[in-house]
Amino acid sequence: MGDRGSASHMRKLGITQRATPLAVPWTGDLRVRFTDFLVNEITLDGKVAHLRTIGQGEELEQAQKAETEATPPQPVKEEPAAEQPPLENPDIAPEDSAILAELGGEQFAKDIVLIWKSAHEPDAASKKATAESTDDREKRGKLHQHVRRIFKSTIDTSTGLDGAIVASLASKKGTKRSRNGRKKEDRPPKEYLHFNLHKDNRDTMDAINQLGRLLNVKPQFIGYAGTKDRRASTVQRCSLRHIRPKTLSAVNGRLRGVVTGDYEYRDERIHLGGLMGNQFVITIKNCQLLGDAQSKPLAERLEVLNANCQSAVQNLSKHGWINYFGHQRFGTHAIGTHEIGKFILGEKYEEAVNMLLSYNEEIANKAETGDIPEENSYREEYRRHQACMLFLTGKDPSRAEKTMPRRFGAECSLLRHLNRAGDKSRRDFVGALIHITRGLRTMYLHAYQSHVWNHVASKRWELHGNKVVEGDLILVETPVATAPEQDQDGGDVVNPVEEDSEPRVHARPLTAEEATSGNYTIHDVVLPSPGYDMIYPSNAIGEYYTEFMSAPENGALDPHKMRRIRREFSLPGRYRKFMNKFLNDTASVEIKTYTDDTEQMHPTDLDLLKAAKDEDGEPARKKVKQSEDGDAAKPEDPANGEAETVGKADEVEKKIAAVVKFQLGSSAYATVTLRELMGDPPEVTAEA
């Protein structure tokens, strides 16, 4: 199963131990189709995010609301405004009057109250209250907020060119005029619109960037709890501020591989890390048992594989497995992200830059001569190799910057910075690395930490297995109360929350008496990723951190010295549970037979919506129903999931597939769980 990586590659990443006994290891093909890998986010309230409605429902002919239609050619009639109810409290609190006078001036405070009280007079819309001019943006912002609060959004405010805030009665028709005279809708009833984002064969940032471009908002304004697999069909919850459902729905048809729906107004934004975990439904095709078992008849192989999987799932549910960082943590290119992080932490900045700009000479030369594939993703890969070659060889550094495809963010940032002043800036490697976006830059450093953690975890299992021993670390319940760090100018350093983050906490080692007391299990044990805020196990495992990191091939680093002169490269570290478990007891494996690798063994959310829309009862794929919790019911076909075949079915060789379903916490890796379920592939069949 190439997607899991070869056994030798896993060893390089420190993934060498297994906690699950397996009678017969087996292999299979993961992601034969991207829809074989389904990921649905689990929100903080424990609900699994499923796409139940596309847009506002008009795509499924469920919504006929005129106010939600987003078809420009249709003229829109404005309904007459409803009469506003009489004001219940024509007076405001004295403390609110004082706030208005302090921020906008005494006259402004009087005028705005008069406008509010005369809301039902014929000329009320023409009355205005003007605050005293100020260049203080913070003060103006406070005045905007207090006016909105005090008058419950019945008064609109705008800032003039002179810095003065002008207040007037909000439009009765739900619209107001912008400076260019066009009608502008009032703000939505709540600050944020939450929605489900369904993407196929796209990474999360690609989907976010598409949305941002079409909605004309910066991608960082789109909130999401975590990134999802690229080669998969995934659903996750996102948020956008001050946007209406019809605006978001209108861009659905222009998104590539992305659909939004299930809109809901909420008061809060969705932040990174704001999820409980993910539900996975993974189809593994072409399953084969290793050894002599594979030569058995199909029926016996099905029986052996099913017994094998059921036993393994029960063991995983009861005992858990080593909480390794999966191979995705270390990148998909030949050079792992942890290698780049190693050079940065070792202050070998030139080596780090050269590694980020490494290229394949053969591909680069083909691209330089115009021998480039037509398929876009391959074409961009060729262009990347070409651009790196142009820069590193000095052949044409300026053209390198123009040639580099924009989707390679780190490389673009490096070339832009190194070229900014010609030859004078070509060796500013530190500045170039800092010029990379903080998210990418920290990814390299965290990858190195994860690399160390994996190797230490393997050593811990090798020495002690699931036994709690003296010196093991456990978490202390009281969170660490730390003052915010400050930069050289005295400003607070804002550290981005990792998608697998937990609140900063203390840890302490267990005494010999505590380790043997029976009060602690292996699931209480944590291991630190190396950092300046960490303590290390007070046993042989603590010593192994120093032994491993000090080796030249691992950077010749000291786990007790993780601060750097440049704060951007200093790592506080984080504690991670040594063992992991499923979020609930619903993990399952279903063994099926099929004949066609293009068969969809488990429906995606889009499949379920299309099946529900079909009125003739004959959708393209088998019609399926969705239960209340979003799971797919059994196919109506009596073959119980076997693929339909054309012609003589008996002459087509049947294959075996395993449909695996489980829920994991936000910091867990599905591929690590699958490795426990399947075992390591033999070296001879592993892909490099």
Side-chain angles (χ1 to χ4, degrees), residues 526-682:
V526 297
L527 290 173
S529 58
Y532 60 76
D533 259 1
M534 298 291 97
I535 66 168
Y536 297 92
S538 57
N539 52 28
I541 298 303
E543 297 171 1
Y544 185 70
Y545 277 91
T546 302
E547 177 186 339
F548 180 82
M549 292 178 61
S550 63
E553 63 271 20
N554 297 321
L557 300 173
D558 186 343
H560 302 281
K561 296 180 180 179
M562 296 301 290
R563 287 189 184 274
R564 298 294 180 270
I565 295 175
R566 295 192 173 275
R567 191 177 299 273
E568 298 90 343
F569 304 146
S570 292
L571 296 174
R574 193 173 297 278
Y575 295 107
R576 179 177 174 88
K577 288 281 189 180
F578 176 50
M579 299 291 286
N580 204 347
K581 294 183 75 173
F582 296 124
L583 285 181
N584 55 28
D585 297 326
T586 62
S588 65
V589 180
E590 185 179 3
I591 306 301
K592 299 183 176 184
T593 59
Y594 71 102
T595 56
D596 185 356
D597 278 344
T598 64
E599 169 74 7
Q600 185 66 31
M601 309 300 289
H602 191 283
T604 69
D605 282 5
L606 280 180
D607 288 335
L608 294 169
L609 286 173
K610 290 174 183 176
K613 181 183 176 182
D614 191 292
E615 296 178 353
D616 299 327
E618 296 181 359
R621 298 183 180 135
K622 295 189 189 73
K623 192 164 186 176
V624 292
K625 297 180 180 180
Q626 191 171 22
S627 63
E628 288 300 315
D629 62 357
D631 294 338
K634 299 266 186 185
E636 295 176 1
D637 190 284
N640 193 26
E642 293 186 17
E644 298 177 15
T645 58
V646 179
K648 298 180 180 179
D650 292 340
E651 296 179 2
V652 180
E653 182 182 357
K654 291 184 178 181
K655 305 176 184 179
I656 301 176
V659 180
V660 187
K661 180 178 177 180
F662 49 79
Q663 294 186 359
L664 298 178
S666 58
S667 63
Y669 288 81
T671 50
V672 171
T673 309
L674 292 178
R675 175 178 170 270
E676 289 285 333
L677 179 68
M678 302 173 70
D680 279 315

Side-chain angles (χ1 to χ4, degrees), residues 409-437:
E411 291 90 334
C412 284
S413 296
L414 290 175
L415 295 179
R416 188 163 52 246
H417 184 84
L418 294 171
N419 277 332
R420 78 190 192 285
D423 291 338
K424 295 180 180 179
S425 58
R426 293 273 157 74
R427 297 196 60 79
D428 184 14
F429 302 116
V430 176
L433 289 168
I434 293 176
H435 194 65
I436 296 174
T437 58

Side-chain angles (χ1 to χ4, degrees), residues 368-379:
E368 184 70 357
T369 58
D371 184 9
I372 299 177
E374 292 185 5
E375 206 282 318
N376 187 57
S377 62
Y378 289 114
R379 183 167 66 247

